[in-house]
Amino acid sequence: MKDLLFLAHRAPFPPDRGDKIRSFHILSHLAARARVHLCAFADDPADRVVPPALAARLASCRIVPRTKSSPRAGLEALASGRPLSLTAFADRRMTAAVADVVRAHPIAATYVFSGQMAPYAPAGVPMTMDMVDVDSAKFAQLAEGAHGPMAWIYAREARLLAAHERSVSARAAATLFVSEAEAALFRAGGGRGRIVAVENGIDAATYDPATCRPVAAGAETILFTGQMDYRPNIEAVTWFADHVLPIVRQSRPAAVFVIVGRAPVAAVTRLGARDGVVVTGTVPDVRGWLAAARVCVAPLRLARGIQNKVLEAMAMARPVVATQAAAEGIDHGGTIAVADSPEAFAAAVIAALDGPADRPDARAQVLSRYDWRARLAPLDALMGLEA
């Protein structure tokens, strides 16, 4: 078996947020076909614990706690002329960990998950670069909606990060994105080399409504799931609570908006004080809430790539209402409702509350289109693992 180096900006476990779900399944796929050496950062002590089943399949594992503060990373970015996205992850301990692996093992190829890790890819070793999304485009969007110093900061980050992304893609054997829409956006922005879409998938056995017990919830539960210290998620639930929920509750006074996800910031926690809004924080298993939801919503104004929260809700046969940004890149076959204005979004939620409680057509669509094994099959050829 070949020795592969897998670099990740966040430890791919537990797979409880979008990027970690993708990296976990890709790492597991590769570890079944090669001797994989993992080097990753961890933001939380819990992320340093490797699941036993995965640990048994890894050839080696180095987890580096990420301790650099945002102010320090910002000063380093200004002093060096580099993107903040890179200085935030610049760490001599990671450099040393990668060097140790390369010295000890005949690394045949490197899989780099997220552009922040590209500087650690060893020279002279074929590299597959998984950008996931076009991060520079996200910062460009933030710059358009910002004012004063923040507009300058976001615009600077977008410009510098775009140059970094183009430079990395030019030297990568292949550059991957989570959807063809993201791949096309990168090509249009000057991305070079072999650019490939490798979409996210869904674990149908895990997200199966037949095996998930609903939590006790109201009959008209409107559910949002996500990491609640992530700005697009914060803005999404705030927009829904401010502009959509009041319209819904005019005709559905029993409707309750439940926000499920770890690390809710103060702005999200304050929403829980409102009538008709519940903020749970971390839950042991999000599937119980999905099973209890009458409708799942993805009201993101800023979204890139494929939203795992939408795939999970579809797999659980839930009615889903999403903005165009959140639905983009998902081949949902018309099984979810798409709306952008507060009035249209509220009308779609009300229609879902009035409609069938289950959407087996949504589950069937996601299972036929987004099985993890089928989605990740192209990696074997990209990483030189074909028999």
Side-chain angles (χ1 to χ4, degrees), residues 240-284:
F240 186 90
D242 286 346
H243 302 292
V244 180
L245 186 61
I247 300 175
V248 173
R249 283 172 61 86
Q250 285 177 7
S251 59
R252 295 292 185 278
V256 176
F257 180 38
V258 179
I259 303 168
V260 173
R262 68 177 183 177
V265 298
V268 175
T269 302
R270 285 195 294 269
L271 294 177
R274 300 186 188 184
D275 187 32
V277 181
V278 173
V279 179
T280 68
T282 302
V283 297

Side-chain angles (χ1 to χ4, degrees), residues 18-354:
D19 60 334
K20 295 171 73 174
I21 292 170
R22 178 177 174 88
S23 60
F24 177 83
H25 283 282
I26 292 174
L27 177 63
S28 298
H29 179 91
L30 295 177
R33 293 158 175 80
R35 289 173 44 82
V36 176
H37 306 269
L38 172 65
C39 291
F41 284 106
D43 296 323
D44 188 286
D47 296 350
R48 303 178 204 173
V49 181
V50 187
L54 180 60
R57 297 166 68 183
L58 291 176
S60 69
C61 180
R62 311 286 184 95
I63 303 298
V64 177
R66 195 160 73 89
T67 56
K68 183 180 294 185
S69 68
S70 295
R72 178 184 168 189
L75 290 174
E76 289 180 3
L78 291 174
S80 65
R82 302 173 70 205
L84 175 60
S85 301
L86 295 190
T87 58
F89 287 86
D91 194 310
R92 293 178 180 176
R93 295 171 299 169
M94 181 60 72
T95 301
V98 171
D100 287 344
V101 172
V102 173
R103 277 194 299 267
H105 305 281
I107 301 300
T110 302
Y111 192 97
V112 182
F113 190 88
S114 192
Q116 294 96 320
M117 298 302 290
Y120 296 108
V125 177
M127 173 180 68
T128 296
M129 178 68 246
D130 192 344
M131 294 285 190
V132 187
D133 307 320
V134 185
D135 278 347
S136 58
K138 175 183 66 179
F139 286 104
Q141 285 183 276
L142 289 171
E144 291 174 0
H147 303 280
M150 289 308 299
W152 179 85
I153 290 172
Y154 287 139
R156 175 189 184 274
E157 188 70 7
R159 173 175 52 82
L160 295 178
L161 196 53
H164 168 71
E165 291 166 345
R166 291 192 296 269
S167 174
V168 171
S169 71
R171 62 187 175 89
T175 302
L176 312 186
F177 290 92
V178 74
S179 69
E180 183 53 45
E182 291 293 297
L185 178 64
F186 187 64
R187 294 187 194 101
R192 294 175 288 168
R194 186 180 183 186
I195 301 170
V196 182
V198 175
E199 296 173 318
N200 279 359
I202 192 73
D203 185 340
T206 298
Y207 289 92
D208 184 349
T211 62
C212 296
R213 183 176 182 178
V215 301
E220 296 194 333
T221 296
I222 304 167
L223 182 70
F224 178 92
T225 62
Q227 181 79 13
M228 293 319 305
D229 58 356
Y230 180 51
R231 177 173 173 171
N233 287 344
I234 298 168
E235 293 179 348
V237 297
T238 301
W239 179 81
F240 186 90
D242 286 346
H243 302 292
V244 180
L245 186 61
I247 300 175
V248 173
R249 283 172 61 86
Q250 285 177 7
S251 59
R252 295 292 185 278
V256 176
F257 180 38
V258 179
I259 303 168
V260 173
R262 68 177 183 177
V265 298
V268 175
T269 302
R270 285 195 294 269
L271 294 177
R274 300 186 188 184
D275 187 32
V277 181
V278 173
V279 179
T280 68
T282 302
V283 297
D285 193 337
V286 72
R287 293 174 299 171
W289 285 98
L290 286 167
R294 191 60 183 76
V295 57
C296 294
V297 294
L300 288 98
R301 321 306 296 171
L302 175 62
R304 303 234 60 89
I306 291 179
Q307 295 297 311
N308 285 287
K309 58 173 61 67
V310 175
L311 295 184
E312 291 167 357
M314 291 174 65
M316 291 289 290
R318 298 296 86 207
V320 178
V321 181
T323 56
Q324 183 63 45
E328 184 180 37
I330 296 179
D331 180 11
H332 56 81
T335 61
I336 69 175
V338 179
D340 279 325
S341 71
E343 295 78 13
F345 207 99
V349 170
I350 292 170
L353 292 172
D354 287 339

